[in-house]
Amino acid sequence: MGRSRRTIPEELLLLALDPATGTTAQPQTLDLGLAGAQLVELSLAGRIVPDGDRIAVVVPRPTGDPTLDHALELLRRRGSPVRAAHWIGGPRLGLRQTYLAHLERCGMVTAVPGQVCGVLPTTRYQASDDCTNAAIKQRLDTAIRTGVPPDPRTAALAALAHAVGLGKHLYPGNEGRSSRSRLRDLIRYDPLGGMVAHAVMDVQNGLPAQQGRSAAPAGSRGPAGRPAAAGRGVASRVGAR
């Protein structure tokens, strides 16, 4: 995999980066989105394929991207297809910091040391090229504005951005309401991205921990505003869309 193209996890993190504060929006859910974005990127690279609501490794050959290759190796070690929601919600949190360090090594962001309250050390991150971030956002804007079906990468990025709650960061306020709605609707243009995005939202709703139950609590809603599912798998929802 060459470095001429940014990966979906990289783009998702750059979208989440707030230029004013140097921090990322939705830090609690961004790890989940990055784990899901790795699955989409590995699928586009031909290394894994969806098998219902599970993910199967078909080509274990490294991609050349160290963060993706680590995920690919972990998937390979499972030995059998793994549910997307179980993978995304697994004990591999900390991806946000992993990817911030990765983007710094690649020269996409610059780490700026600072202090909180003049005492506690902290690190802010600034995009090295504002034009790059603007170009990523412009792809989403174009898909939202024109209604033309986006390419699979853009559709998957939109689905994941919606799943982790970046809509209000990208399109804030009442004036951004229609754009947030259309961002959510872009999920239908990429079945794999949609399946992974739904898995991210299921993890936020706590559904993997409830798999032995027949239904989620009535009326419960996840962080992305999506009703909690009741007794349905990810694959069946995507197939019904």
Side-chain angles (χ1 to χ4, degrees):
M1 173 179 286
R3 294 303 301 153
S4 60
R5 172 179 289 179
R6 293 176 300 275
T7 65
I8 294 174
E10 291 168 354
E11 292 193 326
L12 184 66
L13 184 53
L14 288 171
L15 276 179
L17 195 61
D18 188 328
T21 65
T23 60
T24 54
Q26 302 299 116
Q28 291 79 20
T29 56
L30 194 53
D31 277 346
L32 303 177
L34 290 170
Q38 286 183 323
L39 294 181
V40 177
E41 191 65 49
L42 287 170
S43 176
L44 291 172
R47 300 314 195 264
I48 64 175
V49 296
D51 180 10
D53 64 346
R54 297 175 183 267
I55 300 297
V57 176
V58 291
V59 178
R61 185 177 69 253
T63 66
D65 180 298
T67 52
L68 291 175
D69 289 342
H70 179 65
L72 180 62
E73 176 60 16
L74 291 177
L75 285 166
R76 186 194 65 79
R77 290 177 186 174
R78 293 293 185 98
S80 60
V82 58
R83 290 186 187 278
H86 284 180
W87 167 259
I88 290 167
R92 294 170 299 96
L93 299 183
L95 277 178
R96 182 171 59 98
Q97 286 303 128
T98 297
Y99 265 98
L100 283 170
H102 167 74
L103 291 183
E104 185 182 10
R105 287 193 302 270
C106 294
M108 296 188 203
V109 302
T110 301
V112 181
Q115 292 181 327
V116 176
C117 300
V119 179
L120 299 175
T122 186
T123 302
R124 300 170 61 238
Y125 293 87
Q126 297 293 335
S128 301
D129 183 359
D130 289 337
C131 292
T132 295
N133 282 26
I136 298 170
K137 173 72 160 34
Q138 182 60 39
R139 282 168 39 214
L140 296 184
D141 291 345
T142 299
I144 286 172
R145 184 180 66 254
T146 65
V148 175
D151 63 272
R153 302 183 71 85
T154 301
L157 180 62
L160 289 161
H162 165 70
V164 301
L166 286 183
K168 290 184 178 180
H169 167 68
L170 298 171
Y171 306 102
N174 287 333
E175 64 275 15
R177 183 177 301 172
S178 61
S179 292
R180 293 195 297 271
S181 177
R182 288 193 288 269
L183 178 72
R184 178 198 62 216
D185 291 344
L186 291 177
I187 201 170
R188 69 181 185 272
Y189 290 114
D190 180 43
L192 175 65
M195 184 268 279
V196 171
H198 281 310
V200 169
M201 290 186 279
D202 280 351
V203 174
Q204 293 179 62
N205 288 336
L207 293 189
Q210 302 175 9
Q211 285 211 324
R213 306 176 190 179
S214 60
S220 62
R221 301 184 73 86
R226 174 172 164 266
R232 293 185 297 169
V234 174
S236 63
R237 284 197 309 279
V238 174
R241 289 186 68 83

